[in-house]
Amino acid sequence: MSELMDELKANLESSSKNLEQLVNDIQGMSDAEQEFSELRENVGAAAQALSRNSEKYEAFLVELRESNEKFSDTLDTLKSLEPKEIKDRLDDVLKMTKAFSSALEKVQAEAKETSEQTQSTLEQNSENIEQVITLVKAQADAISKLEKKLNSRTALIPLTFLAIVALAGAIIGRILGLV
């Protein structure tokens, strides 16, 4: 009888420790959910800032290209007015300007492509974070339900124990002829 009570007591203590661990785990998941929420907000703000910067950068590149073209036109005009020596130098400057313009166009195309890829990646990351948050919330709800079930079942253990002790006492009393 004492062994049964000791075993039952050990089981109750083990259940209590498991419930405490479960409550601690739920709290940790709640903290993680809050961190994910903050990360999602930070990613959104970064995406907006990147989008604004890419628009400004594109406008800057367009203005730079226009200035470059105007400079090329000016060089062409001066070339026709100057002697051969200056004309040769202007040709070199014109070649460099055209090379710079070509490189600038490539940089602009690459910047636009990078901006689009970054925006796409940020949107995908935002979606992934939202999915993770949804999963964490669902898991927290499931753990909460499990905790309630465990609490309701462990509340019945003392009653069951007393019923078993009473039944055992009645059986022993019958066997010994005491009742």
Side-chain angles (χ1 to χ4, degrees):
M1 181 80 147
S2 173
E3 291 176 11
L4 180 61
M5 288 179 67
D6 289 342
E7 185 178 329
L8 190 56
K9 182 179 177 182
N11 285 340
L12 286 173
E13 288 174 358
S14 175
S15 293
S16 175
K17 287 179 183 176
N18 288 340
L19 280 175
E20 287 176 15
Q21 181 63 34
L22 184 60
V23 168
N24 289 339
D25 290 346
I26 290 171
Q27 181 62 39
M29 290 179 70
S30 175
D31 293 342
E33 180 182 345
Q34 184 176 357
E35 287 179 27
F36 278 122
S37 178
E38 291 172 6
L39 285 173
R40 187 179 83 204
E41 291 173 11
N42 290 343
V43 166
Q48 290 175 353
L50 183 60
S51 177
R52 287 190 304 269
N53 285 342
S54 68
E55 291 172 7
K56 291 176 184 176
Y57 185 69
E58 244 180 85
F60 168 76
L61 291 177
V62 167
E63 288 180 18
L64 192 57
R65 186 185 321 140
E66 289 174 359
S67 296
N68 191 23
E69 288 172 1
K70 289 177 185 176
F71 183 69
S72 294
D73 291 343
T74 303
L75 287 178
D76 286 338
T77 304
L78 288 175
K79 182 177 165 182
S80 66
L81 301 175
E82 298 294 329
K84 184 174 179 356
E85 185 179 304
I86 295 176
K87 208 176 208 183
D88 292 341
R89 288 186 184 171
L90 288 176
D91 283 338
D92 292 341
V93 171
L94 185 60
K95 287 177 186 176
M96 288 190 304
T97 303
K98 287 181 180 178
F100 178 72
S101 178
S102 175
L104 187 60
E105 288 175 5
K106 288 179 184 178
V107 168
Q108 184 178 11
E110 289 174 0
K112 185 175 182 179
E113 182 180 332
T114 302
S115 174
E116 290 170 356
Q117 289 175 350
T118 303
Q119 184 68 24
S120 174
T121 302
L122 287 173
E123 289 171 3
Q124 183 64 37
N125 286 345
S126 180
E127 290 173 11
N128 290 343
I129 287 174
E130 288 177 17
Q131 289 174 355
V132 168
I133 288 172
T134 302
L135 290 174
V136 168
K137 285 180 182 177
Q139 191 173 14
D141 290 342
I143 289 174
S144 177
K145 289 177 184 177
L146 177 63
E147 182 182 7
K148 287 177 184 176
K149 284 182 181 179
L150 285 174
N151 285 339
S152 68
R153 289 187 181 170
T154 56
L156 296 176
I157 291 175
L159 280 173
T160 306
F161 176 71
L162 290 175
I164 291 172
V165 169
L167 182 63
I171 290 173
I172 290 173
R174 286 271 183 194
I175 292 174
L176 297 176
L178 296 175
V179 177

